[in-house]
Amino acid sequence: MKRNGDVIESFKEMALDWKVPDPTNRYCNPGVSEPAEIEYHEHCEPSNLCKIIWNLTECHSVVPPQPYYEACVASGCSEQHPSTECQSMQTYAALCGLHGICVDWRRQANGQCEASCAQDQVYKPCGEAKRNTCFSREVVMNTLPSQNNTPVFVEGCYCPDGKILLNDRDGICVSVCGCTAQDGSVKQPREAWEHNCQYCACDEATLNISCFPRPCAKSPPINCTKEGFVRKIKPRLDDPCCTDTVCECDIKTCIINKTACDLGFQPVVAISEDGCCPIFSCIPKGVCVSEGIEFKPGAMVPKSSCEDCVCTDEQDLATQTNRIQCAPVKCETTCQQGFRYVEEEGQCCSQCQQVACVANFPFGNVTIEVGKSYKAPYDNCTQYTCIESAGQFSLTSTVKVCLPFEESNCVPGTVDVTPDGCCKTCIDLPHKCKRNVKEQYIVHNNCKSAAPVPVPFCEGTCSTYSVYSFEASEMEHKCICCHEKRSHEVKVELVCSEHMTVQFTYVHVDECGCVETKCPKRRT
């Protein structure tokens, strides 16, 4: 239904007919699409929000409430659009305001349809349709339809009492109209300020800002005559808004002649006295130069194999490099034991070459020449021999093993050592005591070994004599028997019957010898 009461089928055309002109609302888009089909429950209970329409009785005679109430109920019962109840109520209140009837329906909605405003604006349910700004204070906006000069009310966000909109774009409320400065602050009419080296002022009539450059004193003319200096315009230190023409060094304008330095020298850069251009020159590094190589002071300089050369701190006035001091090589002619210094033709210094073997003993080291032998004083049985093969020296040792020696088996007074001093020797007794072995079955308590067992025994004669002792004034008898000197026990298994065996232990003789024993006293 249009405002004149005509019922039409186009929702879009109907919506545009009811559009409320609002110069402060730049988001109102006339492009309205046809609504989608709304599904709702047939037996839906109307909400308390929609019932507020029936409380707005002062508007019922001007705007029939029934169609809007039904639309509100349908919106609330819709599964797809449950939040459009507030829009239905807002539409009905807007139509009442167009007819000069103020309805504050949001206050009765218990916070369900709260209106939010910018920080410095307040909500008014029945505000004036015209909204003055600092730029339209004398213009009366009477574009809304009214009859018989009936006032028109429009709900929305308004500046608090005593304030006015600065413009129709930013929604800023100000107490006094002024100009918006470059930093966003509001300047009073006829107020002047400085910004970016400009004098600015707020025009009282147009509320526009006019700026002009701040005047600066002219700098005197200047000529740059020194090499490398050019004229440049730079901000003044005491007043950055103004500039001065100064002479400043620009190395790009210099003609630079770089010099390649010889070995032992390094380039240095200096500034000319009458300009700012760099001047290159070469100065000594304080090093020595030999065979195209630089050496620092104290470093060894290879010259000749027969000389030791070192770089000094002293400068050669002719070459301006450091002097190299050389001295003959001192050869080490002292060789370690077993080596001999052998001079070689064409060499400044020769080397120590091995010529003998060195044997290490607890009492010290002994040099043994090639092909010769040596015995330690405390060991006549070990002989050390030095052998050389293909320049390699080796020390070999030969140990002589002596035969077992029993002095008791010797004829008294015949004990001696072999010519090399290693082994003892003597004249053996005719029948000396010795160890023999016989094999026999061991029988004990009717038990018998399964096989013959080797049983060692001592057999032989020993020296027995009688001699008169002048000290004792009597005959001294010495009896020496053939006895075992070393033995151990051996266990053997004896068979007593088919199912019984026992362990038997006997003495096994390991060594025999003549052992002195007490002679029996002679009976007279």
Side-chain angles (χ1 to χ4, degrees):
M1 182 177 65
K2 297 175 68 175
R3 285 189 294 174
N4 58 8
D6 295 340
V7 178
I8 58 176
E9 295 181 359
S10 173
F11 176 80
K12 180 178 181 180
E13 184 180 349
M14 181 274 296
L16 293 177
D17 184 66
W18 288 97
K19 181 175 178 297
V20 178
D22 187 357
T24 63
N25 187 357
R26 51 179 173 167
Y27 303 103
C28 186
N29 185 6
V32 181
S33 60
E34 293 290 338
E37 183 178 353
I38 299 178
E39 297 181 2
Y40 58 90
H41 299 283
E42 294 181 359
H43 304 288
C44 176
E45 182 67 24
S47 66
N48 293 329
L49 183 61
C50 295
K51 294 178 181 179
I52 294 176
I53 292 181
W54 301 114
N55 297 335
L56 309 178
T57 55
E58 63 271 28
C59 190
H60 290 179
S61 61
V62 179
V63 182
Q66 186 64 34
Y68 302 96
Y69 173 75
E70 294 176 357
C72 180
V73 173
S75 299
C77 292
S78 171
E79 295 181 354
Q80 298 179 359
H81 306 279
S83 62
T84 55
E85 294 175 325
C86 295
Q87 297 178 10
S88 298
M89 293 298 301
Q90 183 178 354
T91 301
Y92 184 78
L95 294 176
C96 294
L98 289 177
H99 291 84
I101 300 174
C102 176
V103 291
D104 188 4
W105 66 276
R106 293 184 189 269
R107 184 169 51 85
Q108 305 179 42
N110 295 326
Q112 297 184 54
C113 301
E114 287 290 336
S116 60
C117 294
Q119 185 175 1
D120 57 348
Q121 295 189 14
V122 295
Y123 169 77
K124 291 184 179 181
C126 300
E128 296 180 359
K130 61 176 182 177
R131 301 196 186 190
N132 291 335
T133 67
C134 289
F135 294 94
S136 61
R137 288 168 294 173
E138 306 301 330
V139 180
V140 178
M141 300 177 60
N142 194 14
T143 58
L144 295 179
S146 62
Q147 296 177 358
N148 299 326
N149 294 325
T150 303
V152 175
F153 299 109
V154 177
E155 71 168 344
C157 296
Y158 295 86
C159 289
D161 295 339
K163 289 189 177 183
I164 188 173
L165 281 173
L166 179 64
N167 54 49
D168 59 358
R169 300 182 306 276
D170 303 322
I172 300 175
C173 297
V174 295
S175 300
V176 179
C177 288
C179 302
T180 304
Q182 293 87 343
D183 59 357
S185 62
V186 178
K187 302 293 183 180
Q188 300 295 327
R190 292 186 297 178
E191 183 180 352
W193 67 96
E194 185 177 343
H195 178 75
N196 283 346
C197 298
Q198 290 184 322
Y199 287 135
C200 299
C202 178
D203 186 86
E204 183 179 15
T206 62
L207 296 183
N208 290 328
I209 297 174
S210 59
C211 299
F212 58 90
R214 200 182 74 180
C216 293
K218 287 187 177 182
S219 58
I222 186 172
N223 291 325
C224 301
T225 58
K226 291 185 178 182
E227 183 183 7
F229 282 90
V230 296
R231 290 191 302 174
K232 285 191 176 180
I233 299 175
K234 304 196 74 175
R236 288 169 52 179
L237 296 178
D238 58 342
D239 188 358
C241 290
C242 296
T243 59
D244 276 340
T245 302
V246 297
C247 290
E248 191 174 86
C249 180
D250 187 357
I251 197 172
K252 296 178 182 178
T253 63
C254 297
I255 300 175
I256 302 174
N257 295 321
K258 291 187 178 180
T259 304
C261 298
D262 296 332
L263 277 175
F265 295 84
Q266 62 184 356
V268 293
V269 181
I271 303 300
S272 60
E273 296 180 358
D274 57 347
C276 69
C277 292
I279 300 175
F280 287 86
S281 60
C282 297
I283 61 171
K285 284 185 179 180
V287 296
C288 301
V289 178
S290 176
E291 302 295 332
I293 302 175
E294 295 180 351
F295 297 90
K296 293 182 178 181
M300 299 301 296
V301 181
K303 281 280 190 180
S304 169
S305 59
C306 297
E307 289 182 320
D308 286 333
C309 300
V310 63
C311 179
T312 67
D313 292 324
E314 183 182 355
Q315 189 184 64
D316 190 335
L317 298 179
T319 62
Q320 292 189 325
T321 59
N322 290 20
R323 294 181 184 274
I324 298 175
Q325 187 175 11
C326 297
V329 174
K330 293 182 179 180
C331 299
E332 181 62 44
T333 59
T334 304
C335 300
Q336 62 180 353
Q337 190 174 1
F339 288 77
R340 185 174 64 224
Y341 186 78
V342 180
E343 295 185 356
E344 297 181 9
E345 187 177 354
Q347 297 291 331
C348 293
C349 294
S350 299
Q351 295 179 346
C352 293
Q353 297 181 3
Q354 188 174 2
V355 295
C357 300
V358 178
N360 300 322
F361 295 101
F363 57 85
N365 298 336
V366 177
T367 303
I368 305 174
E369 296 182 359
V370 177
K372 294 186 178 182
S373 300
Y374 174 81
K375 289 183 180 179
Y378 57 83
D379 184 8
N380 289 327
C381 295
T382 304
Q383 179 175 285
Y384 299 91
T385 305
C386 181
I387 300 174
E388 186 267 335
S389 176
Q392 299 295 324
F393 291 77
S394 59
L395 189 66
T396 61
S397 61
T398 304
V399 180
K400 182 179 179 180
V401 179
C402 298
L403 295 173
F405 179 81
E406 287 292 339
E407 190 174 346
S408 59
N409 294 330
C410 299
V411 175
T414 63
V415 177
D416 200 358
V417 293
T418 56
D420 57 7
C422 178
C423 301
K424 288 184 178 182
T425 184
C426 69
I427 299 174
D428 294 335
L429 291 172
H431 298 285
K432 60 183 179 180
C433 180
K434 63 180 180 179
R435 176 178 174 271
N436 291 328
V437 180
K438 65 178 179 179
E439 292 190 352
Q440 66 181 51
Y441 286 94
I442 296 178
V443 179
H444 180 74
N445 292 337
N446 296 324
C447 297
K448 182 179 180 180
S449 60
V453 177
V455 180
F457 63 96
C458 298
E459 183 181 39
T461 59
C462 294
S463 175
T464 301
Y465 61 90
S466 297
V467 63
Y468 183 81
S469 173
F470 293 98
E471 294 181 358
S473 300
E474 65 178 6
M475 291 296 293
E476 180 178 312
H477 304 281
K478 191 171 185 180
C479 298
I480 302 175
C481 300
C482 184
H483 269 262
E484 73 279 2
K485 296 185 71 176
R486 187 166 51 84
S487 63
H488 71 279
E489 291 184 347
V490 176
K491 291 183 179 181
V492 64
E493 188 177 76
L494 303 182
V495 179
C496 299
S497 62
E498 293 183 0
H499 304 289
M500 180 178 176
T501 61
V502 295
Q503 293 288 330
F504 179 76
T505 303
Y506 71 97
V507 177
H508 186 280
V509 178
D510 297 321
E511 182 182 354
C512 296
C514 292
V515 180
E516 184 177 354
T517 186
K518 187 176 181 182
C519 296
K521 291 186 177 181
R522 183 179 178 183
R523 295 179 181 181
T524 57

